[in-house]
Amino acid sequence: MIPTVFGALVAGVAFPILLRGTVWDALRMVLVMTLLGGSAAVILSSGSSIPPAIPAMLVLVARIWQDRGRLRGAIAAAPGAGAGPMLFFALYGVVGAFLLPRIFARAMLVAPMQPLETGGLFAVAPLTFTAQNVNAAVYLIFTATAFISGFIAARGAIEPRALARFAAVLALVHAGFGWYDIVTRGTPAWVLIDLFRNANYAMLQQGAGILPRMAGIFPEPSAFAAYGFAWCVLCSELWIRRIEPGLTGSAAAVMALSLVISTSSSAYLSLVAYALILLVRIVYLRGGPRGRQLGIVLFGLLGAVVTALAMAVLLPALAKALATVLGDMTTGKVDSESGLQRGFWARQGIDAFAVSAGLGIGPGSFRSSSIATAILGSVGVPGTAAILIVLGMILRATWRASQQPTRNDEAALAASLGCTALVMLVPAFAGAASPDPGLLWGLIAGGALGFASRTATDGADPAPRRPMAVRA
């Protein structure tokens, strides 16, 4: 086990937080560490990397435990607010990761999580228990821990507008790393990006035609886009609900532009999906952009169309190159080697579900390209039912919070976080390798239910209107 400079960074920040900090300080630390998507805090002897957000989560748990007296109400409310089914999903996955690959050993051929060195695009091996099952089990535990910690922190330890401001700053920093990546690539200044990308992942420097693909300090453009999309949605939702609108609106716009420039097919799919969701809300539901905000959204869309037309007329060569890139990254990808490979991986989940008679073959047993089929094939009916219950609770809480008739910061954060937790899964539906929704999803989903419980009037004791000390 080899600690890295980022492991030392986590330790250096952890000590003052544990001695004199707050739960909010610890949560901010975790969120900052999630930015380091290509970094490793520790490199294990097996070659696997532990990202900085994992040890940072331990600090958050320890801080919550230290303040358990003041957070007693939030801790007691967690089991009835989604923690129960989320824990079941994680625990079934953990037990399944160790038992199911052994029960169904060699029952089918799978493309393992670690790509095989030979065999080409569709390389497979007999199903068996591997170290990847252990890795998947550990990540599921931390996702469930993040969910519960996010709930407790949101219910009793966070001031809503402080979280909104911090989310906007994180979005801008993430976008900034992306722009720095493509502007400095090929120059000595790019070494800063290389310093952050010290994990044992496949670090890709890709291009799309004449354009570099934006990856920031993440391993690849799709990972950069999936992470950035979550912050783009959250900042957009906060702007729509007029929570720190100047800052959150600017962050949403910068992040959206960065996703377009990233040339990631996941980013384009996600942005289109979110645009359609906004359109439905504008036409049929409350909670969408209204008045001046609707004008800004429409003006932005019109501006994008006018810019594209002007480019086609004034810069036909560049316009043609961009059109080629867009086609290659979207419709052209379906019939590409990558598209065929991803389709093959996604179908494995359905095959695993059938082979295991609905029990699943265990997280980490195979590589998927969609979280839907990864969950179905890994944890079967029990795990799928549990996560659907969690998503249903988030949807219900989001809907109720969005119907609040008066200005309420807690309700606005509940609705914004809830919508983000649901929509940020769009990239995972198009490219996730495992059934784990991720640590960031756990924090956001748990936070949505935590803020929603602060506005509840159906028997749950709401959190105090003045939570414990918070430094924005």
Side-chain angles (χ1 to χ4, degrees):
M1 186 171 69
I2 306 173
T4 72
V5 63
F6 297 104
L9 174 64
V10 172
V13 176
F15 282 117
I17 289 177
L18 292 174
L19 290 175
R20 301 187 60 182
T22 66
V23 171
W24 172 227
D25 294 328
L27 179 61
R28 285 190 294 185
M29 174 188 177
V30 176
L31 292 174
V32 168
M33 294 304 165
T34 64
L35 278 169
L36 307 179
S39 306
V42 176
I43 297 177
L44 303 178
S45 55
S46 63
S48 298
S49 302
I50 298 178
I54 294 294
M57 267 302 308
L58 297 177
V59 177
L60 175 58
V61 171
R63 187 67 255 180
I64 289 174
W65 177 254
Q66 288 177 316
D67 293 329
R68 62 190 182 278
R70 284 179 288 183
L71 296 172
R72 187 180 296 111
I75 295 170
M86 188 66 208
L87 271 177
F88 179 85
F89 171 76
L91 292 177
Y92 184 83
V94 170
V95 174
F98 285 90
L99 295 183
L100 293 173
R102 292 184 167 96
I103 294 173
F104 299 105
R106 300 186 176 276
M108 64 179 291
L109 297 175
V110 296
M113 293 291 291
Q114 287 284 11
L116 298 174
E117 295 182 0
T118 59
L121 292 176
F122 307 103
V124 293
L127 171 62
T128 184
F129 177 81
T130 69
Q132 295 304 309
N133 294 107
V134 180
N135 290 345
V138 170
Y139 280 111
L140 281 174
I141 290 172
F142 274 95
T143 295
T145 302
F147 182 94
I148 297 169
S149 301
F151 175 88
I152 293 170
R155 182 175 167 99
I158 302 178
E159 195 277 313
R161 288 183 176 264
L163 179 58
R165 292 191 292 270
F166 195 70
V169 171
L170 286 178
L172 291 170
V173 171
H174 180 61
F177 275 123
W179 286 95
Y180 185 89
D181 172 30
I182 61 173
V183 169
T184 64
R185 192 172 299 176
T187 71
W190 194 84
V191 70
L192 177 63
I193 296 293
D194 202 34
L195 288 174
F196 280 98
R197 302 168 87 191
N198 71 325
N200 283 343
Y201 308 136
M203 302 294 179
L204 304 179
Q205 297 182 44
Q206 298 174 322
I210 63 173
L211 302 175
R213 300 188 65 193
M214 185 181 290
I217 55 177
F218 275 66
E220 58 180 348
S222 61
F224 172 89
Y227 182 84
F229 179 65
W231 295 113
C232 179
V233 173
L234 178 55
C235 289
S236 298
E237 293 294 322
L238 291 168
W239 173 73
I240 289 171
R241 292 174 176 84
R242 295 176 173 81
I243 301 296
E244 304 292 339
L247 184 57
T248 56
S250 299
V254 170
M255 196 66 250
L257 178 61
S258 302
L259 292 174
V260 172
I261 297 299
S262 72
T263 70
S264 165
S265 55
S266 297
Y268 297 151
L269 173 65
S270 302
L271 288 172
V272 169
Y274 185 51
L276 292 175
I277 291 170
L278 283 179
L279 180 62
V280 170
R281 287 164 57 185
I282 290 170
V283 176
Y284 296 107
L285 303 173
R286 291 178 59 181
R290 291 288 185 270
R292 181 170 175 267
Q293 289 185 329
L294 179 57
I296 292 174
V297 171
L298 295 177
F299 180 79
L301 293 175
L302 179 62
V305 172
V306 171
T307 301
L309 293 175
M311 184 182 298
V313 173
L314 301 176
L315 301 169
L318 179 58
K320 183 178 179 180
L322 291 173
T324 301
V325 169
L326 184 61
D328 290 343
M329 292 297 105
T330 52
T331 55
K333 200 160 188 175
V334 176
D335 297 323
S336 68
E337 288 187 347
S338 175
L340 294 173
Q341 184 184 49
R342 287 176 177 272
F344 169 69
W345 286 345
R347 287 191 297 273
Q348 286 191 117
I350 299 173
D351 295 338
F353 182 83
V355 165
S356 64
L359 292 176
I361 61 173
S365 295
F366 68 97
R367 172 178 289 275
S368 183
S369 62
S370 170
I371 194 171
T373 58
I375 290 174
L376 200 64
S378 297
V379 293
V381 172
T384 302
I387 198 66
L388 286 176
I389 291 172
V390 174
L391 294 175
M393 296 179 74
I394 295 171
L395 179 61
R396 178 173 177 267
T398 302
W399 174 258
R400 293 181 61 182
S402 66
Q403 301 305 303
Q404 290 282 342
T406 58
R407 186 74 173 271
N408 185 310
D409 286 354
E410 285 85 357
L413 261 292
S416 299
L417 289 167
C419 186
T420 303
L422 296 171
V423 177
M424 70 182 283
L425 292 177
V426 170
F429 274 97
S434 79
D436 177 27
L439 188 147
L440 180 62
W441 179 88
L443 289 171
I444 290 175
L449 294 175
F451 277 116
S453 73
R454 285 168 66 163
T455 64
T457 57
D458 53 2
D461 293 331
R465 301 298 291 184
R466 291 177 58 85
M468 64 185 190
V470 169
R471 293 192 291 273

